[in-house]
């Protein structure tokens, strides 16, 4: 398959999804109104917990601390839930067999199904970051922005890998899967999303270091809030890269096996 054919397949999948999303304009509007409400909620919550000792390594400001966590959680939601939408929607709509019998390879199906959801989530992230800059909580340098983008891409890859594993489980059971739920809850509670892991018991802090999201969130805060460079976050980047190298091939293999069994 040529690169032009692969690109055409991705564009076709994205166009279909975009038309579907744009047909629900009220729902789309409510999505971004909800994003603005989230920004306001954490801005005023930050005024209450400002200056906590646990926040000292991150500049002592809760609002900017929470914004970074929200960015990663948004990516987690879309990567974990929308990866499986092609298969769950196709299964209930009776089109899954047609999709799998077509010329589009499995990786292209997965990547294509994420283009529009990731695009919408990028707007969410943009709202968070613009709000942070406008309210004086965040600032970016050009190298810092590039490094932050690399961290986000690596963090997204880990969530996509877990999402594909969850999809494989779903294809086999056809009754739902626990992987997405537990990953989201563990990320929200243990990865330092909304509070520093230093407030957790020592045993749970050990669990935190087993979660890919922890390294993405920690590296983003180090770059954006502290102003550090590559020398401070290269270990987090290396760990995220290892998670990607392990999760993505294994999850694609598991999904292919699950589809073979389902057939």
């Amino acid at each position: 398959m040529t690169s032009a054919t692969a690109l055409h397949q991705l564009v076709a999948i994205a166009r279909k999804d975009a038309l579907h999303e744009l047909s629900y304009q009220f729902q789309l509007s409510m999505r971004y109104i909800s994003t603005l409400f989230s920004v306001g909620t954490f801005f005023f919550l930050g005024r209450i917990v400002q200056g906590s000792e646990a926040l000292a390594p991150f500049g002592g400001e809760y609002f900017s601390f929470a914004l970074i966590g929200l960015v990663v959680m948004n990516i987690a939601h879309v990567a974990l839930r929308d990866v499986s939408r092609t298969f769950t929607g196709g299964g209930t709509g009776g089109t899954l067999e047609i999709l799998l019998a077509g010329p589009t390879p499995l990786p292209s199906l997965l990547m294509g199904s994420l283009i529009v959801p990731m695009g919408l989530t990028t707007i969410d992230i943009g709202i968070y970051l613009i709000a942070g800059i406008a309210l004086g909580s965040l600032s970016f340098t050009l190298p810092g922005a590039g490094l932050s983008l690399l961290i986000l891409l690596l963090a997204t890859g880990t969530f996509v890998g877990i999402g594909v594993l969850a999809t494989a489980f779903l294809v086999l059971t056809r009754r739902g899967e626990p992987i997405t739920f537990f990953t989201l809850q563990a990320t929200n509670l243990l990865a330092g999303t909304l509070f520093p892991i230093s407030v957790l018991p020592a045993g749970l802090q050990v669990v935190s270091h087993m979660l890919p999201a922890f390294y993405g969130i920690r590296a983003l805060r180090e770059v954006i809030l502290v102003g550090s460079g590559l020398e401070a976050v290269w270990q987090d980047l290396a760990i995220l890269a290892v998670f990607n190298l392990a999760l993505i091939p294994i999850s694609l293999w598991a999904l292919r096996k699950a589809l073979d069994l389902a057939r």
Side-chain angles (χ1 to χ4, degrees), residues 70-88:
L70 287 173
V71 164
V72 175
M73 279 305 296
N74 271 36
I75 292 173
H77 274 277
V78 69
L80 289 167
R81 291 179 173 173
D82 285 278
V83 163
S84 63
R85 184 174 295 180
T86 297
F87 296 90
T88 55

Side-chain angles (χ1 to χ4, degrees), residues 30-207:
M30 293 304 295
R31 173 191 180 119
Y32 296 116
I33 290 172
S34 174
T35 299
L36 289 171
F37 272 101
S38 295
V39 170
T41 298
F42 285 100
F43 176 72
F44 290 109
L45 179 60
R47 292 188 170 186
I48 299 174
V49 298
Q50 195 77 13
S52 168
E53 289 185 8
L55 296 173
F58 310 99
E61 187 178 56
Y62 181 74
F63 178 54
S64 57
F65 178 91
L67 280 184
I68 303 301
L70 287 173
V71 164
V72 175
M73 279 305 296
N74 271 36
I75 292 173
H77 274 277
V78 69
L80 289 167
R81 291 179 173 173
D82 285 278
V83 163
S84 63
R85 184 174 295 180
T86 297
F87 296 90
T88 55
T92 56
T95 59
L96 180 57
E97 290 79 5
I98 298 173
L99 280 174
L100 295 176
T104 307
L106 182 58
S108 294
L109 278 175
L110 294 169
M111 289 175 60
S113 67
L114 282 174
I115 291 174
V116 170
M118 279 297 181
L120 295 174
T121 299
T122 300
I123 298 174
D124 286 323
I125 292 171
I127 292 172
Y128 289 138
L129 297 180
I130 290 170
I133 293 170
L135 294 170
S137 296
L138 298 179
S139 61
F140 282 93
T141 62
L142 189 58
L147 190 53
S148 297
L149 180 60
L150 176 60
I151 295 166
L152 285 173
L153 287 174
L154 288 172
T156 300
T158 64
F159 286 123
V160 170
I162 296 170
V164 174
L165 280 176
T167 303
F169 194 99
L170 189 62
V171 167
L172 286 177
T173 63
R174 300 178 184 269
R175 291 177 177 269
E177 47 78 25
I179 298 174
T180 295
F181 173 80
F182 283 112
T183 301
L184 287 174
Q185 294 304 315
T187 299
N188 197 45
L189 178 64
L190 302 176
T193 304
L194 296 178
F195 50 83
I197 68 163
S198 59
V199 304
L200 294 171
L204 289 180
Q205 291 185 39
V206 173
V207 177

